[in-house]
Amino acid sequence: MLRVRPAIALFVVMCSILLVFGIRDLAASVRFGRVMQLARHLETGTPVSRGTVAGLAEVADEVVSGGHCRADIVRAGLTVKLAALDQRNSYHDYDAWAGALAAAENYLRHAIGCRPTDGNLWLRFAMVRRAVAEQPTEIAFLMQQSVYYAPAEQGVLVGRFAVWNDAAATTLEAARSAVETDLATVLRHGELPLIRRILQKPGERLQPLVDAAVSSLSTERRAALAGAKIGS
């Protein structure tokens, strides 16, 4: 009997711990259920009101204040926070825009703390920081992190090229290694529809890097890209 009792006690303790975590998980699901539902609507293009987005963006702030790191909740909250930011216009209401920008940045810092190996979070953080002020060294670091953790995820690649196509020359130079890595990935391995989507009309400052990357490809690959009107 003496050998059984410690095992029973351990079992009871483990069950209690699992019960506590289960209750917390259920409570979080209930608390952020509307945020997750709204995120699904936003991701699928279902119409939602500005007021709904603004109201649930405030609820999403509790993901940060409550220290929640559950992946689906963090992801949903970010979708809502970025939608709230997109609704703001710096020309018509600068203070509201700046507040939404600061809230999105604070949320992203928390999200990266929860999921530091998520390349999409690093990309979104770079986009938000660039909206504040384009500091080439900072943006280069954030984008390099995104490349490192999500080198070939199509959605993240498309997002990075949205940055590369509009980046200042100083930013492209500071992030040259990351830019060249992305160009090599897309031009060597990407399907032509994807390449046309992101590189058929590259930014003026990005064009020389695109041309240099194309010139390093095989003859067959260059011919295929020429047919898609990629490269000069």
Side-chain angles (χ1 to χ4, degrees), residues 98-133:
L101 189 65
E105 180 178 345
N106 186 53
Y107 191 98
L108 276 160
R109 290 184 186 278
H110 170 74
I112 289 175
C114 292
R115 301 178 61 79
T117 60
D118 188 326
N120 183 56
L121 293 177
W122 288 101
L123 166 64
R124 300 302 167 184
F125 193 34
M127 289 176 165
V128 168
R129 289 299 301 159
R130 187 166 175 262
V132 174

Side-chain angles (χ1 to χ4, degrees), residues 115-232:
R115 301 178 61 79
T117 60
D118 188 326
N120 183 56
L121 293 177
W122 288 101
L123 166 64
R124 300 302 167 184
F125 193 34
M127 289 176 165
V128 168
R129 289 299 301 159
R130 187 166 175 262
V132 174
E134 187 164 346
Q135 300 292 338
T137 302
E138 177 189 33
I139 302 305
F141 169 76
L142 297 175
M143 293 292 281
Q144 182 63 65
Q145 293 294 97
S146 178
V147 172
Y148 181 77
Y149 289 118
E153 291 180 29
Q154 182 170 314
V156 183
L157 270 170
V158 170
R160 284 202 296 268
F161 273 100
V163 176
W164 299 142
N165 275 312
D166 193 43
T170 50
T171 298
L172 290 176
E173 182 57 34
R176 192 180 187 94
S177 175
V179 178
E180 290 176 343
T181 297
D182 272 350
L183 284 170
T185 298
V186 170
L187 293 173
R188 292 177 184 173
H189 308 293
E191 297 182 355
L192 291 181
L194 172 64
I195 299 174
R196 279 195 295 267
R197 177 181 175 186
I198 60 181
L199 284 177
Q200 195 162 45
K201 294 181 179 180
E204 179 181 350
R205 294 175 292 273
L206 182 63
Q207 183 70 64
L209 295 175
V210 175
D211 293 339
V214 169
S215 69
S216 69
L217 300 173
S218 67
T219 302
E220 293 78 11
R221 188 62 170 171
R222 288 202 305 272
L225 293 174
K229 299 182 179 179
I230 302 299
S232 58

Side-chain angles (χ1 to χ4, degrees), residues 16-75:
S16 299
I17 292 173
L18 291 173
L19 179 61
V20 169
F21 279 106
I23 292 172
R24 288 180 179 176
D25 194 56
L26 177 61
S29 295
V30 172
R31 181 72 191 94
F32 299 109
R34 292 178 63 208
V35 172
M36 292 188 284
Q37 182 181 42
L38 176 59
R40 287 192 292 271
H41 289 333
L42 292 168
E43 290 164 358
T44 58
T46 303
V48 294
S49 70
R50 291 174 61 91
T52 298
V53 173
L56 289 179
E58 294 183 2
V59 176
D61 286 333
E62 296 177 20
V63 174
V64 179
S65 61
H68 296 279
C69 274
R70 210 176 84 188
D72 57 342
I73 292 176
V74 170
R75 183 169 55 250

